[in-house]
Amino acid sequence: MPHRAEPRLLMRGPLMVDMAGLWPTPEEFERLRQPEVGGVILFARNCEDAQQVQALCQEIHALRSPPLLIGIDQEGGRVQRLKKGVTRFPPMARLGQKAEAQGLEAAQCLAYDWGRLLANELREIGVDFSFTPCVDLDRGISQVIGDRAIHRNPDWVGAIAARLWQGMSDSGLQGVAKHFPGHGAVAADSHLALPRDDRPFAAIEEDLQPFRYMIQAAIPAIMPAHCLYPQIDPEQPAGFSSRWLTGVLRGEMGFSGVIVSDDLSMVGAHVAGDMAARVDAAQAAGADLLLVCNDPDGAYAAIEHLQNQGKQTGTNTLAALAGAAGIPLSAPERARCMHEITELSC
């Protein structure tokens, strides 16, 4: 049953949390009303079909003013949380294959239509942003990235991802480029371990190139990797490193948008200590929005820690991730885009 109440006037806090099922429990509703929370991430367990997710988004948005942000991993391929009632997108590697077969411009045109269709479907049901695009390079090393990567060529990845983002933006869906400064050169999965990339900065520069494209294209958010790059920062993985986030991403690369941490419950984040220490480390490094997923106790610990700090946790920075009114797809345009994506999936 809908859980209606007068929306609470609260600025968006720095935490993004998850839920256990298709509808929030009373305890989860209470958690979402905490000032320290600014958003909700949806997983497959929260998504029965498009109609149910639309009702869920309406309920979550009605809880607070300004509304909590709602994000989802809707890349395509094996990382597509909502499947029923929307287009099933192939893995993004198909866009790189399109460039190889028909040229970069053809791949960019298709990427734009991909972004438009993805965004129209998600905005129609109330999702604010997708953790898309993945701009890691396909070096044939990382299985957790694998065909989520568009291609090995950094200029192709940047050019194709920028057009995909433009399609999303034109339709009102916000995006998050990931995983800065690049997750493609490590074999370990940061969900399960702390990957280590021992290359010097000069070698990593190639992995940074797609992020430069995304910054130029005005992507509103970037997510750092829970990977250690000891030649640049021997102590902290990128998500906890002020050298990477403040020095390189903001200082040298000129990014002024939202930095979204990867999930602080992942094993790759445990190097910072307990949940309170992870929150402190991510914020000290420069992260604006902190994900705490698949760990209800960790979410409560993060909320309690921020409450105990006694600081004003709300921020206007996160407004950049709120969904916007975009250009709707006409029925013929939608049919054309769906046909293109279906052909790409074959």
Side-chain angles (χ1 to χ4, degrees), residues 90-116 150-151 153 155-167 336 340-341 344:
M92 286 195 178
R94 296 294 177 84
L95 291 168
Q97 293 166 8
K98 178 83 168 180
E100 290 180 345
Q102 300 181 25
L104 177 59
E105 186 175 351
Q108 287 179 288
C109 289
L110 180 56
Y112 179 79
D113 288 344
W114 179 317
R116 288 270 281 143
I150 294 171
H151 201 266
N153 183 315
D155 291 312
W156 280 16
V157 172
I160 292 169
R163 284 296 287 162
L164 188 144
W165 153 241
Q166 189 62 58
R336 177 181 57 80
E340 289 177 337
I341 297 300
L344 194 66

mmCIF file of all heavy atoms in Angstrom, residues 90-116 150-151 153 155-167 336 340-341 344:
data_model
loop_
_atom_site.group_PDB
_atom_site.id
_atom_site.type_symbol
_atom_site.label_atom_id
_atom_site.label_comp_id
_atom_site.label_asym_id
_atom_site.label_seq_id
_atom_site.Cartn_x
_atom_site.Cartn_y
_atom_site.Cartn_z
ATOM 1 N N PRO A 90 21.814 -4.372 -25.285
ATOM 2 C CA PRO A 90 22.977 -5.263 -25.317
ATOM 3 C C PRO A 90 24.124 -4.648 -24.517
ATOM 4 O O PRO A 90 24.029 -3.492 -24.078
ATOM 5 C CB PRO A 90 23.318 -5.321 -26.811
ATOM 6 C CG PRO A 90 22.898 -3.984 -27.325
ATOM 7 C CD PRO A 90 21.653 -3.626 -26.545
ATOM 8 N N PRO A 91 25.207 -5.373 -24.309
ATOM 9 C CA PRO A 91 26.371 -4.775 -23.647
ATOM 10 C C PRO A 91 26.951 -3.652 -24.498
ATOM 11 O O PRO A 91 26.863 -3.662 -25.727
ATOM 12 C CB PRO A 91 27.351 -5.938 -23.504
ATOM 13 C CG PRO A 91 26.923 -6.935 -24.522
ATOM 14 C CD PRO A 91 25.438 -6.789 -24.646
ATOM 15 N N MET A 92 27.561 -2.674 -23.855
ATOM 16 C CA MET A 92 28.060 -1.508 -24.578
ATOM 17 C C MET A 92 29.216 -1.827 -25.513
ATOM 18 O O MET A 92 29.547 -1.013 -26.383
ATOM 19 C CB MET A 92 28.443 -0.411 -23.589
ATOM 20 C CG MET A 92 27.242 0.267 -22.977
ATOM 21 S SD MET A 92 27.670 1.813 -22.166
ATOM 22 C CE MET A 92 26.029 2.321 -21.630
ATOM 23 N N ALA A 93 29.821 -2.995 -25.356
ATOM 24 C CA ALA A 93 30.871 -3.396 -26.299
ATOM 25 C C ALA A 93 30.344 -3.447 -27.733
ATOM 26 O O ALA A 93 31.116 -3.299 -28.689
ATOM 27 C CB ALA A 93 31.447 -4.747 -25.899
ATOM 28 N N ARG A 94 29.033 -3.634 -27.892
ATOM 29 C CA ARG A 94 28.464 -3.676 -29.239
ATOM 30 C C ARG A 94 28.633 -2.339 -29.959
ATOM 31 O O ARG A 94 28.678 -2.294 -31.187
ATOM 32 C CB ARG A 94 26.984 -4.052 -29.171
ATOM 33 C CG ARG A 94 26.725 -5.447 -28.630
ATOM 34 C CD ARG A 94 27.272 -6.548 -29.568
ATOM 35 N NE ARG A 94 27.079 -7.869 -29.015
ATOM 36 C CZ ARG A 94 25.976 -8.588 -29.120
ATOM 37 N NH1 ARG A 94 24.929 -8.088 -29.766
ATOM 38 N NH2 ARG A 94 25.898 -9.791 -28.578
ATOM 39 N N LEU A 95 28.707 -1.259 -29.208
ATOM 40 C CA LEU A 95 28.929 0.049 -29.829
ATOM 41 C C LEU A 95 30.345 0.138 -30.403
ATOM 42 O O LEU A 95 30.548 0.701 -31.482
ATOM 43 C CB LEU A 95 28.685 1.168 -28.813
ATOM 44 C CG LEU A 95 27.230 1.360 -28.384
ATOM 45 C CD1 LEU A 95 27.139 2.281 -27.181
ATOM 46 C CD2 LEU A 95 26.399 1.910 -29.541
ATOM 47 N N GLY A 96 31.316 -0.403 -29.680
ATOM 48 C CA GLY A 96 32.671 -0.454 -30.214
ATOM 49 C C GLY A 96 32.768 -1.341 -31.433
ATOM 50 O O GLY A 96 33.471 -1.027 -32.406
ATOM 51 N N GLN A 97 32.039 -2.451 -31.402
ATOM 52 C CA GLN A 97 32.013 -3.340 -32.565
ATOM 53 C C GLN A 97 31.367 -2.652 -33.764
ATOM 54 O O GLN A 97 31.777 -2.856 -34.909
ATOM 55 C CB GLN A 97 31.262 -4.620 -32.200
ATOM 56 C CG GLN A 97 31.981 -5.466 -31.160
ATOM 57 C CD GLN A 97 31.090 -6.537 -30.548
ATOM 58 O OE1 GLN A 97 29.962 -6.762 -30.987
ATOM 59 N NE2 GLN A 97 31.592 -7.208 -29.511
ATOM 60 N N LYS A 98 30.368 -1.829 -33.512
ATOM 61 C CA LYS A 98 29.736 -1.053 -34.578
ATOM 62 C C LYS A 98 30.751 -0.104 -35.212
ATOM 63 O O LYS A 98 30.785 0.055 -36.443
ATOM 64 C CB LYS A 98 28.571 -0.259 -34.002
ATOM 65 C CG LYS A 98 27.845 0.640 -34.988
ATOM 66 C CD LYS A 98 26.818 -0.109 -35.786
ATOM 67 C CE LYS A 98 25.907 0.829 -36.555
ATOM 68 N NZ LYS A 98 24.883 0.091 -37.341
ATOM 69 N N ALA A 99 31.591 0.519 -34.380
ATOM 70 C CA ALA A 99 32.616 1.419 -34.900
ATOM 71 C C ALA A 99 33.620 0.670 -35.764
ATOM 72 O O ALA A 99 34.058 1.169 -36.809
ATOM 73 C CB ALA A 99 33.325 2.121 -33.746
ATOM 74 N N GLU A 100 33.991 -0.526 -35.342
ATOM 75 C CA GLU A 100 34.925 -1.326 -36.125
ATOM 76 C C GLU A 100 34.336 -1.716 -37.475
ATOM 77 O O GLU A 100 35.026 -1.713 -38.494
ATOM 78 C CB GLU A 100 35.307 -2.592 -35.352
ATOM 79 C CG GLU A 100 36.182 -2.353 -34.143
ATOM 80 C CD GLU A 100 36.522 -3.639 -33.419
ATOM 81 O OE1 GLU A 100 35.846 -4.670 -33.689
ATOM 82 O OE2 GLU A 100 37.449 -3.628 -32.594
ATOM 83 N N ALA A 101 33.047 -2.032 -37.486
ATOM 84 C CA ALA A 101 32.405 -2.536 -38.706
ATOM 85 C C ALA A 101 31.992 -1.415 -39.656
ATOM 86 O O ALA A 101 32.121 -1.551 -40.882
ATOM 87 C CB ALA A 101 31.187 -3.374 -38.341
ATOM 88 N N GLN A 102 31.503 -0.301 -39.104
ATOM 89 C CA GLN A 102 30.915 0.728 -39.956
ATOM 90 C C GLN A 102 31.493 2.116 -39.756
ATOM 91 O O GLN A 102 31.042 3.066 -40.403
ATOM 92 C CB GLN A 102 29.396 0.766 -39.744
ATOM 93 C CG GLN A 102 28.700 -0.540 -40.084
ATOM 94 C CD GLN A 102 27.199 -0.459 -39.885
ATOM 95 O OE1 GLN A 102 26.604 0.613 -39.938
ATOM 96 N NE2 GLN A 102 26.564 -1.600 -39.648
ATOM 97 N N GLY A 103 32.451 2.244 -38.842
ATOM 98 C CA GLY A 103 33.081 3.532 -38.619
ATOM 99 C C GLY A 103 32.594 4.208 -37.354
ATOM 100 O O GLY A 103 31.499 3.939 -36.852
ATOM 101 N N LEU A 104 33.415 5.135 -36.861
ATOM 102 C CA LEU A 104 33.128 5.812 -35.601
ATOM 103 C C LEU A 104 31.844 6.632 -35.675
ATOM 104 O O LEU A 104 31.050 6.633 -34.742
ATOM 105 C CB LEU A 104 34.309 6.708 -35.213
ATOM 106 C CG LEU A 104 34.148 7.545 -33.941
ATOM 107 C CD1 LEU A 104 33.884 6.659 -32.729
ATOM 108 C CD2 LEU A 104 35.385 8.412 -33.714
ATOM 109 N N GLU A 105 31.626 7.322 -36.780
ATOM 110 C CA GLU A 105 30.440 8.171 -36.878
ATOM 111 C C GLU A 105 29.156 7.354 -36.774
ATOM 112 O O GLU A 105 28.194 7.772 -36.114
ATOM 113 C CB GLU A 105 30.456 8.945 -38.194
ATOM 114 C CG GLU A 105 29.322 9.956 -38.308
ATOM 115 C CD GLU A 105 29.420 10.808 -39.557
ATOM 116 O OE1 GLU A 105 30.458 10.742 -40.249
ATOM 117 O OE2 GLU A 105 28.450 11.558 -39.828
ATOM 118 N N ALA A 106 29.125 6.180 -37.394
ATOM 119 C CA ALA A 106 27.939 5.315 -37.308
ATOM 120 C C ALA A 106 27.709 4.881 -35.861
ATOM 121 O O ALA A 106 26.562 4.826 -35.391
ATOM 122 C CB ALA A 106 28.105 4.097 -38.210
ATOM 123 N N ALA A 107 28.786 4.566 -35.152
ATOM 124 C CA ALA A 107 28.663 4.155 -33.756
ATOM 125 C C ALA A 107 28.183 5.308 -32.887
ATOM 126 O O ALA A 107 27.375 5.115 -31.966
ATOM 127 C CB ALA A 107 30.000 3.631 -33.246
ATOM 128 N N GLN A 108 28.638 6.508 -33.175
ATOM 129 C CA GLN A 108 28.202 7.672 -32.411
ATOM 130 C C GLN A 108 26.713 7.951 -32.622
ATOM 131 O O GLN A 108 26.000 8.287 -31.676
ATOM 132 C CB GLN A 108 29.019 8.892 -32.803
ATOM 133 C CG GLN A 108 30.452 8.875 -32.281
ATOM 134 C CD GLN A 108 31.214 10.113 -32.723
ATOM 135 O OE1 GLN A 108 31.569 10.255 -33.906
ATOM 136 N NE2 GLN A 108 31.443 11.014 -31.801
ATOM 137 N N CYS A 109 26.261 7.832 -33.867
ATOM 138 C CA CYS A 109 24.839 8.046 -34.156
ATOM 139 C C CYS A 109 23.974 7.042 -33.401
ATOM 140 O O CYS A 109 22.940 7.399 -32.813
ATOM 141 C CB CYS A 109 24.580 7.943 -35.656
ATOM 142 S SG CYS A 109 25.243 9.322 -36.615
ATOM 143 N N LEU A 110 24.413 5.788 -33.398
ATOM 144 C CA LEU A 110 23.670 4.761 -32.681
ATOM 145 C C LEU A 110 23.728 5.010 -31.170
ATOM 146 O O LEU A 110 22.729 4.821 -30.467
ATOM 147 C CB LEU A 110 24.227 3.379 -33.016
ATOM 148 C CG LEU A 110 23.544 2.195 -32.326
ATOM 149 C CD1 LEU A 110 22.047 2.170 -32.613
ATOM 150 C CD2 LEU A 110 24.193 0.883 -32.764
ATOM 151 N N ALA A 111 24.886 5.449 -30.678
ATOM 152 C CA ALA A 111 25.020 5.731 -29.252
ATOM 153 C C ALA A 111 24.065 6.835 -28.815
ATOM 154 O O ALA A 111 23.470 6.776 -27.732
ATOM 155 C CB ALA A 111 26.459 6.122 -28.929
ATOM 156 N N TYR A 112 23.896 7.848 -29.663
ATOM 157 C CA TYR A 112 22.974 8.928 -29.335
ATOM 158 C C TYR A 112 21.548 8.392 -29.225
ATOM 159 O O TYR A 112 20.822 8.691 -28.259
ATOM 160 C CB TYR A 112 23.043 10.025 -30.399
ATOM 161 C CG TYR A 112 22.082 11.162 -30.135
ATOM 162 C CD1 TYR A 112 22.385 12.148 -29.190
ATOM 163 C CD2 TYR A 112 20.869 11.246 -30.798
ATOM 164 C CE1 TYR A 112 21.507 13.189 -28.924
ATOM 165 C CE2 TYR A 112 19.979 12.271 -30.544
ATOM 166 C CZ TYR A 112 20.298 13.242 -29.612
ATOM 167 O OH TYR A 112 19.414 14.263 -29.344
ATOM 168 N N ASP A 113 21.139 7.560 -30.179
ATOM 169 C CA ASP A 113 19.796 6.982 -30.133
ATOM 170 C C ASP A 113 19.639 6.055 -28.929
ATOM 171 O O ASP A 113 18.565 5.995 -28.305
ATOM 172 C CB ASP A 113 19.506 6.217 -31.425
ATOM 173 C CG ASP A 113 19.293 7.141 -32.619
ATOM 174 O OD1 ASP A 113 19.066 8.353 -32.406
ATOM 175 O OD2 ASP A 113 19.367 6.657 -33.762
ATOM 176 N N TRP A 114 20.689 5.317 -28.609
ATOM 177 C CA TRP A 114 20.694 4.461 -27.409
ATOM 178 C C TRP A 114 20.409 5.310 -26.177
ATOM 179 O O TRP A 114 19.541 4.979 -25.355
ATOM 180 C CB TRP A 114 22.060 3.784 -27.310
ATOM 181 C CG TRP A 114 22.318 2.881 -26.139
ATOM 182 C CD1 TRP A 114 21.993 3.105 -24.834
ATOM 183 C CD2 TRP A 114 22.996 1.625 -26.177
ATOM 184 N NE1 TRP A 114 22.450 2.063 -24.037
ATOM 185 C CE2 TRP A 114 23.056 1.147 -24.843
ATOM 186 C CE3 TRP A 114 23.571 0.859 -27.190
ATOM 187 C CZ2 TRP A 114 23.672 -0.063 -24.509
ATOM 188 C CZ3 TRP A 114 24.187 -0.341 -26.849
ATOM 189 C CH2 TRP A 114 24.234 -0.800 -25.540
ATOM 190 N N GLY A 115 21.156 6.413 -26.039
ATOM 191 C CA GLY A 115 20.967 7.289 -24.891
ATOM 192 C C GLY A 115 19.580 7.884 -24.825
ATOM 193 O O GLY A 115 18.977 7.991 -23.744
ATOM 194 N N ARG A 116 19.048 8.270 -25.974
ATOM 195 C CA ARG A 116 17.695 8.841 -26.019
ATOM 196 C C ARG A 116 16.640 7.828 -25.577
ATOM 197 O O ARG A 116 15.751 8.135 -24.782
ATOM 198 C CB ARG A 116 17.388 9.320 -27.439
ATOM 199 C CG ARG A 116 18.152 10.565 -27.845
ATOM 200 C CD ARG A 116 17.381 11.830 -27.489
ATOM 201 N NE ARG A 116 16.339 12.082 -28.463
ATOM 202 C CZ ARG A 116 15.133 12.580 -28.165
ATOM 203 N NH1 ARG A 116 14.814 12.835 -26.914
ATOM 204 N NH2 ARG A 116 14.238 12.806 -29.115
ATOM 205 N N ILE A 150 33.250 -0.166 -23.807
ATOM 206 C CA ILE A 150 32.889 0.091 -25.198
ATOM 207 C C ILE A 150 33.950 -0.426 -26.152
ATOM 208 O O ILE A 150 33.634 -1.048 -27.179
ATOM 209 C CB ILE A 150 32.643 1.595 -25.407
ATOM 210 C CG1 ILE A 150 31.402 2.040 -24.608
ATOM 211 C CG2 ILE A 150 32.466 1.933 -26.887
ATOM 212 C CD1 ILE A 150 31.199 3.543 -24.562
ATOM 213 N N HIS A 151 35.232 -0.203 -25.820
ATOM 214 C CA HIS A 151 36.311 -0.573 -26.738
ATOM 215 C C HIS A 151 37.645 -0.408 -26.031
ATOM 216 O O HIS A 151 37.721 0.067 -24.891
ATOM 217 C CB HIS A 151 36.255 0.315 -27.997
ATOM 218 C CG HIS A 151 36.955 -0.279 -29.186
ATOM 219 N ND1 HIS A 151 38.267 0.011 -29.505
ATOM 220 C CD2 HIS A 151 36.519 -1.130 -30.142
ATOM 221 C CE1 HIS A 151 38.604 -0.648 -30.607
ATOM 222 N NE2 HIS A 151 37.560 -1.359 -31.015
ATOM 223 N N ASN A 153 40.150 1.363 -27.693
ATOM 224 C CA ASN A 153 40.646 2.654 -28.162
ATOM 225 C C ASN A 153 40.067 3.781 -27.295
ATOM 226 O O ASN A 153 38.858 4.002 -27.292
ATOM 227 C CB ASN A 153 40.242 2.855 -29.627
ATOM 228 C CG ASN A 153 40.783 4.133 -30.233
ATOM 229 O OD1 ASN A 153 40.722 5.190 -29.623
ATOM 230 N ND2 ASN A 153 41.291 4.030 -31.450
ATOM 231 N N ASP A 155 40.062 7.041 -27.546
ATOM 232 C CA ASP A 155 39.357 8.104 -28.263
ATOM 233 C C ASP A 155 37.993 7.629 -28.748
ATOM 234 O O ASP A 155 37.018 8.392 -28.730
ATOM 235 C CB ASP A 155 40.210 8.601 -29.424
ATOM 236 C CG ASP A 155 41.442 9.364 -28.955
ATOM 237 O OD1 ASP A 155 41.281 10.252 -28.095
ATOM 238 O OD2 ASP A 155 42.551 9.074 -29.418
ATOM 239 N N TRP A 156 37.910 6.385 -29.182
ATOM 240 C CA TRP A 156 36.615 5.837 -29.572
ATOM 241 C C TRP A 156 35.683 5.762 -28.357
ATOM 242 O O TRP A 156 34.513 6.132 -28.444
ATOM 243 C CB TRP A 156 36.787 4.448 -30.175
ATOM 244 C CG TRP A 156 37.218 4.449 -31.606
ATOM 245 C CD1 TRP A 156 37.748 5.500 -32.302
ATOM 246 C CD2 TRP A 156 37.146 3.347 -32.510
ATOM 247 N NE1 TRP A 156 38.017 5.124 -33.594
ATOM 248 C CE2 TRP A 156 37.657 3.801 -33.754
ATOM 249 C CE3 TRP A 156 36.724 2.039 -32.405
ATOM 250 C CZ2 TRP A 156 37.749 2.975 -34.873
ATOM 251 C CZ3 TRP A 156 36.806 1.206 -33.511
ATOM 252 C CH2 TRP A 156 37.309 1.667 -34.741
ATOM 253 N N VAL A 157 36.204 5.280 -27.246
ATOM 254 C CA VAL A 157 35.383 5.177 -26.036
ATOM 255 C C VAL A 157 34.856 6.554 -25.647
ATOM 256 O O VAL A 157 33.657 6.729 -25.377
ATOM 257 C CB VAL A 157 36.191 4.560 -24.873
ATOM 258 C CG1 VAL A 157 35.398 4.638 -23.568
ATOM 259 C CG2 VAL A 157 36.546 3.116 -25.183
ATOM 260 N N GLY A 158 35.740 7.540 -25.630
ATOM 261 C CA GLY A 158 35.321 8.884 -25.245
ATOM 262 C C GLY A 158 34.305 9.476 -26.200
ATOM 263 O O GLY A 158 33.291 10.052 -25.782
ATOM 264 N N ALA A 159 34.544 9.329 -27.496
ATOM 265 C CA ALA A 159 33.654 9.919 -28.493
ATOM 266 C C ALA A 159 32.288 9.242 -28.496
ATOM 267 O O ALA A 159 31.250 9.907 -28.605
ATOM 268 C CB ALA A 159 34.297 9.829 -29.875
ATOM 269 N N ILE A 160 32.259 7.922 -28.372
ATOM 270 C CA ILE A 160 30.993 7.186 -28.363
ATOM 271 C C ILE A 160 30.227 7.452 -27.067
ATOM 272 O O ILE A 160 29.022 7.716 -27.076
ATOM 273 C CB ILE A 160 31.247 5.676 -28.557
ATOM 274 C CG1 ILE A 160 31.765 5.411 -29.981
ATOM 275 C CG2 ILE A 160 29.988 4.868 -28.282
ATOM 276 C CD1 ILE A 160 32.296 4.001 -30.198
ATOM 277 N N ALA A 161 30.920 7.406 -25.929
ATOM 278 C CA ALA A 161 30.263 7.629 -24.635
ATOM 279 C C ALA A 161 29.717 9.046 -24.536
ATOM 280 O O ALA A 161 28.648 9.266 -23.948
ATOM 281 C CB ALA A 161 31.231 7.348 -23.498
ATOM 282 N N ALA A 162 30.432 10.011 -25.090
ATOM 283 C CA ALA A 162 29.961 11.397 -25.041
ATOM 284 C C ALA A 162 28.657 11.561 -25.811
ATOM 285 O O ALA A 162 27.752 12.295 -25.394
ATOM 286 C CB ALA A 162 31.029 12.333 -25.590
ATOM 287 N N ARG A 163 28.531 10.875 -26.944
ATOM 288 C CA ARG A 163 27.289 10.957 -27.715
ATOM 289 C C ARG A 163 26.155 10.215 -27.003
ATOM 290 O O ARG A 163 25.006 10.658 -27.028
ATOM 291 C CB ARG A 163 27.498 10.375 -29.116
ATOM 292 C CG ARG A 163 28.257 11.292 -30.037
ATOM 293 C CD ARG A 163 27.485 12.576 -30.311
ATOM 294 N NE ARG A 163 26.349 12.339 -31.193
ATOM 295 C CZ ARG A 163 25.323 13.185 -31.323
ATOM 296 N NH1 ARG A 163 25.269 14.286 -30.591
ATOM 297 N NH2 ARG A 163 24.328 12.903 -32.162
ATOM 298 N N LEU A 164 26.467 9.088 -26.365
ATOM 299 C CA LEU A 164 25.448 8.390 -25.594
ATOM 300 C C LEU A 164 24.941 9.289 -24.477
ATOM 301 O O LEU A 164 23.732 9.399 -24.250
ATOM 302 C CB LEU A 164 26.022 7.086 -25.045
ATOM 303 C CG LEU A 164 25.019 6.143 -24.365
ATOM 304 C CD1 LEU A 164 25.364 4.691 -24.653
ATOM 305 C CD2 LEU A 164 24.969 6.365 -22.857
ATOM 306 N N TRP A 165 25.861 9.941 -23.791
ATOM 307 C CA TRP A 165 25.473 10.864 -22.723
ATOM 308 C C TRP A 165 24.645 12.020 -23.274
ATOM 309 O O TRP A 165 23.666 12.444 -22.654
ATOM 310 C CB TRP A 165 26.699 11.368 -21.980
ATOM 311 C CG TRP A 165 26.497 12.723 -21.366
ATOM 312 C CD1 TRP A 165 27.175 13.868 -21.632
ATOM 313 C CD2 TRP A 165 25.519 13.084 -20.379
ATOM 314 N NE1 TRP A 165 26.689 14.919 -20.901
ATOM 315 C CE2 TRP A 165 25.663 14.456 -20.120
ATOM 316 C CE3 TRP A 165 24.522 12.371 -19.711
ATOM 317 C CZ2 TRP A 165 24.862 15.143 -19.214
ATOM 318 C CZ3 TRP A 165 23.712 13.062 -18.812
ATOM 319 C CH2 TRP A 165 23.886 14.421 -18.564
ATOM 320 N N GLN A 166 24.992 12.529 -24.449
ATOM 321 C CA GLN A 166 24.218 13.621 -25.019
ATOM 322 C C GLN A 166 22.774 13.199 -25.267
ATOM 323 O O GLN A 166 21.831 13.960 -25.023
ATOM 324 C CB GLN A 166 24.847 14.099 -26.330
ATOM 325 C CG GLN A 166 24.227 15.385 -26.869
ATOM 326 C CD GLN A 166 24.408 16.550 -25.921
ATOM 327 O OE1 GLN A 166 25.535 16.899 -25.578
ATOM 328 N NE2 GLN A 166 23.313 17.150 -25.473
ATOM 329 N N GLY A 167 22.582 11.957 -25.735
ATOM 330 C CA GLY A 167 21.229 11.449 -25.912
ATOM 331 C C GLY A 167 20.481 11.356 -24.596
ATOM 332 O O GLY A 167 19.289 11.709 -24.514
ATOM 333 N N ARG A 336 12.018 3.415 -34.228
ATOM 334 C CA ARG A 336 13.290 3.347 -34.949
ATOM 335 C C ARG A 336 14.438 3.012 -34.004
ATOM 336 O O ARG A 336 15.275 2.146 -34.305
ATOM 337 C CB ARG A 336 13.558 4.673 -35.663
ATOM 338 C CG ARG A 336 14.907 4.730 -36.385
ATOM 339 C CD ARG A 336 15.136 6.070 -37.041
ATOM 340 N NE ARG A 336 15.065 7.183 -36.098
ATOM 341 C CZ ARG A 336 16.056 7.527 -35.285
ATOM 342 N NH1 ARG A 336 17.195 6.819 -35.279
ATOM 343 N NH2 ARG A 336 15.929 8.558 -34.481
ATOM 344 N N GLU A 340 16.875 -0.326 -33.989
ATOM 345 C CA GLU A 340 18.341 -0.266 -34.056
ATOM 346 C C GLU A 340 18.979 -1.082 -32.923
ATOM 347 O O GLU A 340 19.947 -1.816 -33.144
ATOM 348 C CB GLU A 340 18.802 1.190 -33.951
ATOM 349 C CG GLU A 340 18.507 2.053 -35.161
ATOM 350 C CD GLU A 340 18.928 3.484 -34.950
ATOM 351 O OE1 GLU A 340 19.041 3.919 -33.785
ATOM 352 O OE2 GLU A 340 19.159 4.161 -35.965
ATOM 353 N N ILE A 341 18.432 -0.926 -31.714
ATOM 354 C CA ILE A 341 18.983 -1.652 -30.580
ATOM 355 C C ILE A 341 18.745 -3.147 -30.721
ATOM 356 O O ILE A 341 19.621 -3.974 -30.426
ATOM 357 C CB ILE A 341 18.367 -1.133 -29.264
ATOM 358 C CG1 ILE A 341 18.731 0.341 -29.048
ATOM 359 C CG2 ILE A 341 18.815 -1.974 -28.078
ATOM 360 C CD1 ILE A 341 20.222 0.620 -28.951
ATOM 361 N N LEU A 344 21.227 -4.502 -33.075
ATOM 362 C CA LEU A 344 22.550 -4.543 -32.460
ATOM 363 C C LEU A 344 22.671 -5.736 -31.524
ATOM 364 O O LEU A 344 23.759 -6.269 -31.320
ATOM 365 C CB LEU A 344 22.778 -3.239 -31.671
ATOM 366 C CG LEU A 344 24.212 -2.921 -31.231
ATOM 367 C CD1 LEU A 344 25.105 -2.669 -32.438
ATOM 368 C CD2 LEU A 344 24.218 -1.707 -30.307
#
